Amino acid sequence: MRYFAFASRNRKEIFRDPLNLLFVGLPVVMMWLFSIMQKNMPFDLYNIEKLTPGIIVFSFSFITLFSGMLIGRDRSSSFLMRIFASPMSASDYIVGYAFPLLPVATLQIIVCFITAFFFGLSFNANVLLTIVVLIIIAMLYIGLGLLLGTYFTDKQVGGIFAIFVNITIWLSGTWFALDMIGGVFKTIAYALPFAHAVDATRAALAGEYGDLVLPLLCVIGYTVVIFVIAVTGFKKKMKS
């Protein structure tokens, strides 16, 4: 429980920047635009049932930026050097950075679902299950940000984030079906966790529980590995 005070400080840092709150509302604008596009589309990729999970998962990429910039700024300043004198371990620091980002992810999920209800999404028990699945997926994106912030400065994180967003756009299956390209491209996409995250969310919302387990396990496996690498890297930074 030593990380509570540290997590409180990080929460204030996150909400102090109004730009972070702007990113929370950006998925709502995207959902509105793609809902309009659906009227002129001959296929159902952009219908509200498939669009909502994809946009929420994509919105988590901004949380990757928040977490990476936060830890990157602390590393670039003398802040971390001062608090290294505390009895907290490397895992305490990582949890202290990750914990306050969960409310941000939850806020994004709720705002996006409320918007989706206005565009015709039906509320049922599957929505509640999908929220649980999305919170698990949010941990993956938080962990990725902490991993970037552990090894790179805040300025470097900003540049890498541009590459990261393009990867999530092209390899997640949110904006186009991966089967349309297939081959090596699809193989690479499913070797990464992003397409699995979108598939798990869509399966949960559709109530297709048999299709939910495997992609969700893949996301959880990636999340565990990423957090282990982040804690290990942070521990090495502390010793150096």
Side-chain angles (χ1 to χ4, degrees):
M1 302 301 178
R2 292 173 295 187
Y3 55 80
F4 274 152
F6 184 56
S8 177
R9 172 263 176 189
N10 292 330
R11 175 183 56 80
K12 294 175 183 178
E13 286 292 320
I14 293 169
F15 287 100
R16 184 174 294 149
D17 188 351
L19 187 62
N20 293 343
L21 299 178
L22 176 63
F23 280 124
V24 171
L26 182 60
V28 174
V29 178
M30 297 172 64
M31 191 175 299
W32 172 66
L33 290 174
F34 280 99
S35 296
I36 295 175
M37 290 174 58
Q38 169 61 23
K39 298 177 182 178
N40 302 314
M41 291 289 179
F43 46 90
D44 65 348
L45 180 63
Y46 294 148
N47 67 37
I48 198 64
E49 289 79 12
K50 290 187 177 179
L51 181 66
T52 302
I55 284 187
I56 296 176
V57 171
F58 174 74
S59 71
F60 290 157
S61 60
F62 299 117
I63 295 180
T64 299
L65 176 63
F66 299 161
S67 55
M69 293 288 286
L70 179 61
I71 191 172
R73 281 196 301 265
D74 288 347
R75 285 185 54 246
S76 299
S77 67
S78 58
F79 175 75
L80 281 182
M81 293 298 295
R82 294 196 300 270
I83 65 172
F84 278 164
S86 72
M88 291 198 304
S89 63
S91 58
D92 289 331
Y93 284 111
I94 293 298
V95 172
Y97 280 115
F99 189 75
L101 287 162
L102 280 176
V104 179
T106 304
L107 177 62
Q108 282 187 319
I109 294 169
I110 293 173
V111 168
C112 287
F113 267 118
I114 291 175
T115 304
F117 294 147
F118 280 104
F119 286 114
L121 181 68
S122 300
F123 178 81
N124 52 48
N126 293 333
V127 172
L128 301 178
L129 173 62
T130 306
I131 291 174
V132 175
V133 171
L134 284 167
I135 290 174
I136 295 173
I137 293 172
M139 292 302 299
L140 167 70
Y141 284 80
I142 291 172
L144 284 168
L146 298 178
L147 183 64
L148 292 176
T150 298
Y151 288 96
F152 301 98
T153 65
D154 55 331
K155 294 181 180 179
Q156 291 171 330
V157 168
I160 295 172
F161 176 72
I163 300 173
F164 175 76
V165 168
N166 277 279
I167 292 174
T168 58
I169 287 175
W170 290 101
L171 299 177
S172 67
T174 298
W175 313 112
F176 59 89
L178 295 174
D179 290 333
M180 293 173 60
I181 301 178
V184 177
F185 184 88
K186 182 179 178 181
T187 301
I188 294 174
Y190 277 102
L192 297 172
F194 311 115
H196 293 288
V198 173
D199 287 349
T201 310
R202 286 175 174 167
L205 188 59
E208 299 170 350
Y209 306 126
D211 297 329
L212 168 64
V213 177
L214 187 58
L216 184 59
L217 286 176
C218 181
V219 170
I220 292 173
Y222 261 98
T223 303
V224 171
V225 171
I226 287 170
F227 268 91
V228 169
I229 296 174
V231 170
T232 303
F234 200 88
K235 187 180 297 182
K236 291 181 179 179
K237 296 293 183 181
M238 289 176 67
K239 292 181 178 178
S240 63

